[in-house]
Amino acid sequence: MARLVIVSNRVPVPRPRERPQAGGLAVALKEALATREALWFGWSGQTASHTGGSPEIVTVGQTTYATIDLSSEDYRLYYTGFANGMLWPLLHYRMGLAEFRREEWEGYRRVNRAFAHSLTPLLRDDDVIWIHDFHHFPLAAALRAAGAKQRIGFFLHVPFPPLPLFRALPQGNILLRELASCDLIGAQTPSDASNLRDALRGAGFDVPVHPFPIGIEAEEFAREAEKAVRGQDARRLADSLSGRALILGVDRLDYSKGLPQRLRGFAALLRRFPEHRGRVTLLQVAPVSRGDVVQYRALRRELDELAGRINGEHGDIDWVPVRWMTRAVPRATLAGFHRIARVGLVTPMRDGMNLVAKEFVAAQDPADPGALVLSCFAGAADELKGAILVNPHDPDEIAEGLNAALVMPASERRARWTGDIAVLRRNSAAAWAEGFLAALAQIGQDAPRAGGA
Ligand code: ADQ
């Protein structure tokens, strides 16, 4: 089997004496890495005096991790600037939050060339290269320019907006041209794939673009939840509820996740369905992310204020309606919290997939599962037909969804859960990775690849 080369912005390099890092792409690719030799290349997470150079190498089993540093200036231009300040809002349909600066655009492309420069000497002729996400739209072209003839696949973890919106990106056609150096492009949903395909075709490129919805290892997560629910933190949480129903939100603190809308929806529940007052608790866990981007700091202030206001208005001497935590909680502990929750509340304004929604379903007790209230704008809404779908722009709709979830009889909760867990077991993380890699392998069989070979 060919060696697999993964490229992603961050690399989960195993650190001696630390527990293996769980979460993110490392979990999704675990099976794929267990069955083949692999090289995982990307940013070390460190800044240094220069970007690039020869990578730092760590090998564990048949996986080699190779990482390079970024200069502080490139970190600011490429990562904070163009990737998080321009592409992230644009791809999440939030043009009003996007800021384009020519020097950031140039920094972004320079870092991608540096990636290609450092990676190229490590490549073998028969490698298969799989690039991940919007940080690396230009990378395939930079690798081709450095002589790479290998098969290259690209997977976009976030949404792709319709063409008229994407057109707002200055130089957008250059990014599309560079992306078109890939042999296969994957997106999360059929509509993201179709938007991206339209954009590429509009720019004159006919690369195959297909949906490959990312999955989770549901059985493994269920086992983790069963174990964690007996752990100290989950017991503390369960005891503290004093019999109240738990509504749980788990996210990164990001404006794409619809957190203010969620709090407003919860407040609307308490206002419009007074029978739930004093009987429910919303726990929202949202550790700070991208704190060096101004929009994220503003969001945090807004949420601090909203949570405080709801508690002030609705709280009682023995009841705090919203428990608001910006501290990180380990994923394994969260698995136990999901299992305790009567309702999972996931309300992104746009989300490529949203694995939290899938993890909530996987963590449930089959005999007495909780119900999921899910934004219709999460990729996961395409698959989780048992969820109560809501439009997060309308707090009243969130409130109605929450009420429906809270009063839903156990038999209906079981029926909805049974359907969804079957989907999750079928569309596992392993099936996602193997599906993409099989499709990528197939492409070389059917037609000559871009770049020859
Ligand atoms: P994210 O935007 O980070 O990912 P999501 O899919 O919800 O969003 O979460 C990814 C992982 O992070 C999950 O395993 C989840 O458990 C974990 N996580 C989220 N919040 C956490 C918290 N507070 N504490 C600990 N762990 C937390 C991007 C895209 C998504 C897409 C994924 C995968 O934005 O749409 O689903 O990539 O492709």
Side-chain angles (χ1 to χ4, degrees), residues 231-242:
Q232 206 191 2
D233 288 331
R235 286 220 307 271
R236 266 175 61 214
L237 172 59
D239 290 347
S240 74
L241 292 171
S242 315

Side-chain angles (χ1 to χ4, degrees), residues 237 246-250 262 281-285 334 336-339 341-346 356 360:
L237 172 59
L246 176 66
I247 302 173
L248 179 65
V250 173
R262 190 175 310 179
T281 295
L282 169 64
L283 169 62
Q284 177 63 55
V285 181
L334 288 171
F337 293 2
H338 283 308
R339 199 170 172 99
R342 168 48 44 97
V343 182
L345 183 54
V346 183
V356 172
F360 174 81

Side-chain angles (χ1 to χ4, degrees), residues 84-101 161 165-166 168-169 255 293-295:
N84 288 339
M86 178 70 218
L87 286 178
W88 179 270
L90 171 79
L91 297 170
H92 288 86
Y93 298 56
R94 300 290 287 277
M95 208 41 220
L97 296 176
E99 285 177 25
F100 181 86
R101 288 191 188 86
L165 215 162
F166 183 76
L169 175 66
Y255 53 76
V293 180
V294 58
Q295 284 87 352

Side-chain angles (χ1 to χ4, degrees), residues 64-358:
T64 295
Y65 301 86
T67 54
I68 56 170
D69 299 333
L70 293 178
S71 71
S72 333
E73 198 197 2
D74 280 344
Y75 169 78
R76 182 173 63 79
L77 298 173
Y78 146 82
Y79 183 70
T80 310
F82 195 72
N84 288 339
M86 178 70 218
L87 286 178
W88 179 270
L90 171 79
L91 297 170
H92 288 86
Y93 298 56
R94 300 290 287 277
M95 208 41 220
L97 296 176
E99 285 177 25
F100 181 86
R101 288 191 188 86
R102 189 68 75 86
E103 58 164 351
E104 292 175 352
W105 155 256
E106 279 157 9
Y108 171 82
R109 301 186 63 245
R110 185 171 58 243
V111 166
N112 273 282
R113 286 195 299 272
F115 261 56
H117 188 76
S118 298
L119 173 57
T120 304
L122 306 179
L123 292 178
R124 301 177 194 154
D125 288 349
D126 60 348
D127 282 342
V128 169
I129 304 172
W130 190 5
I131 299 171
H132 289 263
D133 230 357
F134 63 97
H135 307 88
H136 300 302
F137 282 132
L139 184 59
L143 287 168
R144 296 276 184 242
K149 304 259 192 297
Q150 291 84 350
R151 210 162 288 157
I152 304 182
F154 179 96
F155 184 76
L156 183 64
H157 289 258
V158 300
F160 196 90
L163 184 54
L165 215 162
F166 183 76
R167 284 227 170 93
L169 175 66
Q171 329 263 14
N173 271 4
I174 296 182
L175 281 194
L176 293 170
R177 186 184 72 216
E178 291 174 333
L179 184 60
S181 289
C182 296
D183 300 293
L184 172 68
I185 296 170
Q188 298 275 25
T189 65
S191 83
D192 294 320
S194 133
N195 287 342
L196 183 46
R197 196 181 305 117
D198 288 351
L200 284 159
R201 292 227 172 111
F205 304 103
D206 200 16
V207 196
V209 186
H210 299 295
F212 294 89
I214 193 168
I216 61 167
E217 290 308 317
E219 306 286 352
E220 203 176 307
F221 201 77
R223 278 196 298 276
E224 226 167 318
E226 252 180 285
K227 190 165 142 220
V229 86
R230 294 191 296 270
Q232 206 191 2
D233 288 331
R235 286 220 307 271
R236 266 175 61 214
L237 172 59
D239 290 347
S240 74
L241 292 171
S242 315
R244 296 182 177 105
L246 176 66
I247 302 173
L248 179 65
V250 173
D251 308 77
R252 283 184 303 103
L253 207 164
D254 192 294
Y255 53 76
S256 68
K257 303 293 181 184
L259 294 166
Q261 289 75 7
R262 190 175 310 179
L263 291 183
R264 284 189 207 107
F266 180 66
L269 172 81
L270 300 179
R271 242 187 345 265
R272 290 196 35 214
F273 301 90
E275 61 274 25
H276 296 301
R277 283 187 205 154
R279 299 216 166 87
V280 292
T281 295
L282 169 64
L283 169 62
Q284 177 63 55
V285 181
V288 173
S289 80
R290 305 176 190 172
D292 42 11
V293 180
V294 58
Q295 284 87 352
Y296 288 73
R297 291 199 295 274
L299 174 67
R300 186 179 180 182
R301 277 195 301 276
E302 182 185 0
L303 290 165
D304 287 344
E305 191 189 312
L306 254 174
R309 195 184 319 144
I310 295 170
N311 285 337
E313 195 175 322
H314 297 279
D316 209 334
I317 48 170
D318 57 356
W319 175 52
V320 180
V322 181
R323 299 186 189 177
W324 164 236
M325 282 176 63
T326 53
R327 200 160 15 100
V329 177
R331 197 165 159 274
T333 308
L334 288 171
F337 293 2
H338 283 308
R339 199 170 172 99
I340 292 172
R342 168 48 44 97
V343 182
L345 183 54
V346 183
T347 56
M349 313 310 284
R350 282 289 154 190
D351 215 329
M353 177 53 63
N354 196 297
L355 293 182
V356 172
K358 293 190 167 182

